[in-house]
Amino acid sequence: MGLPFLDSFSAATGRGVWHADELGLADAQVVATGHTALDAQLPGGGWPVGAMTELLQAAPEAHVWRLLLPALAQAVQARGGPVVLVGAPYEPCGPSLAAQGLPVEALMWVRSEAPAARLWACEQALRCADIAAVVAWLPQARVGELRRLQLAAAQHEVLLFVCRPESVALSASPARLRIRAGRCEADASQIELHILKRRGPPLAAPVMLPARNERMTALLAAARLRRKLRLQQLGTVPAGESATSATVVRIDAWKGGPDALDRLAVVA
């Protein structure tokens, strides 16, 4: 009687048993991050829905929008509800977010400095069926409080991102996924993502992402070219810069708004 049981167990290992040296499969729905290199390192290929993702950073809002904006825009389109920001350190730039697919009317900003009030607002938002995602800044949250939020996200299948300081990287956390984000010291145009916790083996090297999206990069490049042209006309081109090699391309204003991020730039 024992052999059939062992055979059945062996057959099941290929279906339901996760090996620690392999990247695990998602046991629930995921939303693509919008960053191919990051998707390739996450179970299921995206942010887990109905589970907490913890983002650790030295500055509270340094790379949050760069990382989360594609998934938040996708979640709003899919569910139709708003993204709730709990305790965001700065007011979001509406025109900038709208230009990248997240309309300002899809944002709900809960302002509070009291840790208990932030936790309460976060938990209530997770229980609302119409919410597309919750992004909360909870630097002082305890493990038990985070576990309660994790359970609420699981019960209502909501995207939950909790931003905390990188100093808590070695402390326990119920988060399904933990990522430490920071600027690359060798290349300021890149972001380093260290995956501290995932269902899979430790990641030997950080995931590298551009610090700015393509549109912003093009706008900044165009601004530098215009500066070179002005300096050339004044005869004061800085040493090491060749204005004659620059091609200035016209930037047509986007019809939807006056903000700089709402413009398209093509730089040759």
Side-chain angles (χ1 to χ4, degrees), residues 47-62:
W47 302 118
V49 177
M52 180 189 301
T53 295
E54 196 173 1
L55 302 178
L56 309 182
Q57 302 179 104
E61 204 178 42

Side-chain angles (χ1 to χ4, degrees), residues 169-194:
L170 297 180
S171 63
S173 171
R176 178 81 57 84
L177 177 65
R178 299 186 88 192
I179 296 178
R180 186 176 75 238
R183 188 182 67 177
C184 177
E185 295 296 334
D187 184 357
S189 67
Q190 298 287 316
I191 300 173
E192 286 186 353
L193 301 180
H194 297 265

Side-chain angles (χ1 to χ4, degrees), residues 113-124:
E113 297 298 329
R118 290 189 183 189
L119 286 166
W120 181 87
C122 187
E123 191 168 358
Q124 297 307 308

Side-chain angles (χ1 to χ4, degrees), residues 4 6 8 13 53 56 63 81 88 115 120-121 124 126 148 156 162 178 182-183 190 202-203 218 241 244 254 261-262:
L6 292 175
S8 300
T13 58
T53 295
L56 309 182
H63 308 293
W120 181 87
Q124 297 307 308
L126 291 171
R148 193 166 67 244
H156 301 281
V162 173
R178 299 186 88 192
R183 188 182 67 177
Q190 298 287 316
L203 194 61
E241 294 188 4
T244 58
W254 180 62
L261 286 177
D262 295 328

